[in-house]
Amino acid sequence: MTTQPPLPGLLPLPTQDPRARDVVLDYADMHALVADLVLPDGASMYVMSTLETSRELIRHSYYRYEFATVAVTHSLLALEHVLVERLALSEPLHILIERATDTGLITPELAAELDRSRLLRDRLAQGTATSAAVGPAGAIAMVRAVFDAVSLLLRPLPEAEAAGVDTSWAHPEDQLARLWEEHGRALYPDSFRGVDVEGVELILLDADVAGLVQRELNGGLDDRGIAILWACIADLDKIVPSINSEYCASYFAKLRTMAKLAAARYIPTAT
């Protein structure tokens, strides 16, 4: 006599999650939505599998909205793995992103987008966000940033770097001068005038860093200036991941890169 439970009847077919109705009309449209998430060349099987799973989670968020948020957090596994290998560092993700930005491996704009994903992961871990925090459209932009970053990080090493020569700060003065020129042409984000983030008034921080960088380019900083510069860098590290505007986050991510270049020849313990 068998004690196995009876086989269930036909299972119902999955149906569209009502929350996805504003994104696509039907499941076939999800294919076009993720079509440009192309797996990068030269990635390991682990990275390929992780990124492919992230892409498929977005596709299937048509049926379960929360899959979009899971796609974002899952993609960070691939990003962190590639960063550790490329930088030969074992550090928290935010430090890896900063180091990759400082050394020119990824752009400040891309770093700001990656920080958005990292911050989302942290909020989920802290219980201040839910798995419905990001919809399919938002997840596409955040996961695309990871795909783009991984592609950049997997590019062949320059000859000097491949030979084991550290070129991270080969010409910091030239880089600083170029970024200072670009900063002079950038428009301050108007909607963030008089706004503070994490207790830091953004427009005052912008002015402080600009003044310090100009002094560095014109001859160098004294001890007080060095201490203020490192305090500004600490504030930038704190506020950039928390800015919810893409342009503003990019603006202050570039400001952070410029500040760190200005501080490159000074001993960090000056703070």
Side-chain angles (χ1 to χ4, degrees):
M1 187 175 79
T2 181
T3 59
Q4 294 294 325
L7 292 174
L10 291 175
L11 296 174
L13 293 174
T15 57
Q16 183 184 24
D17 189 312
R19 294 168 291 179
R21 287 175 182 163
D22 293 336
V23 182
V24 293
L25 294 176
D26 55 38
Y27 180 67
D29 292 334
M30 295 297 293
H31 305 320
L33 196 65
V34 301
D36 65 342
L37 295 180
V38 179
L39 297 174
D41 293 332
S44 67
M45 288 300 296
Y46 171 80
V47 171
M48 296 274 278
S49 174
T50 303
L51 292 180
E52 185 176 26
T53 299
S54 300
R55 183 183 64 196
E56 294 310 302
L57 282 165
I58 296 176
R59 195 196 306 268
H60 287 87
S61 65
Y62 176 87
Y63 298 117
R64 181 67 181 182
Y65 193 81
E66 284 80 0
F67 286 176
T69 298
V70 179
V72 174
T73 58
H74 191 73
S75 70
L76 293 178
L77 297 173
L79 174 67
E80 190 162 5
H81 181 83
V82 173
L83 281 168
V84 167
E85 285 197 338
R86 181 64 189 263
L87 297 171
L89 290 174
S90 181
E91 296 286 353
L93 181 56
H94 72 279
I95 293 177
L96 294 171
I97 293 172
E98 289 172 15
R99 181 64 183 271
T101 308
D102 294 342
T103 56
L105 292 172
I106 58 176
T107 65
E109 296 89 343
L110 190 54
E113 191 68 21
L114 298 173
D115 264 333
R116 284 182 60 218
S117 298
R118 180 190 62 80
L119 184 61
L120 172 62
R121 185 186 68 177
D122 292 348
R123 289 169 56 215
L124 287 165
Q126 295 158 7
T128 58
T130 72
S131 294
V134 177
I140 283 287
M142 298 169 86
V143 172
R144 182 184 294 115
V146 173
F147 271 68
D148 291 346
V150 169
S151 294
L152 288 172
L153 292 163
L154 290 175
R155 289 182 304 180
L157 297 176
E159 184 175 339
E161 189 177 348
V165 179
D166 183 4
T167 60
S168 300
W169 299 105
H171 303 288
E173 297 85 359
D174 293 342
Q175 295 178 53
L176 182 60
R178 177 179 57 80
L179 286 177
W180 174 246
E181 183 181 348
E182 292 175 0
H183 183 74
R185 296 193 299 266
L187 297 176
Y188 185 87
D190 278 336
S191 60
F192 284 82
R193 294 185 186 278
V195 172
D196 71 85
V197 174
E198 301 285 344
V200 178
E201 182 133 5
L202 298 187
I203 198 164
L204 294 180
L205 179 60
D206 178 49
D208 286 345
V209 173
L212 291 163
V213 168
Q214 190 169 32
R215 285 165 56 192
E216 171 64 14
L217 288 169
N218 289 337
L221 298 171
D222 57 18
D223 288 346
R224 183 172 181 274
I226 296 167
I228 295 172
L229 179 60
W230 282 102
C232 288
I233 290 171
D235 283 342
L236 287 162
D237 286 343
K238 179 169 65 173
I239 61 102
V240 168
S242 301
I243 298 174
N244 59 7
S245 159
E246 183 176 351
Y247 177 77
C248 188
S250 171
Y251 181 93
F252 279 92
K254 289 180 180 178
L255 192 71
R256 178 174 64 185
T257 300
M258 189 167 62
K260 289 187 175 183
L261 281 170
R265 67 189 182 98
Y266 299 110
I267 300 172
T269 53
T271 56

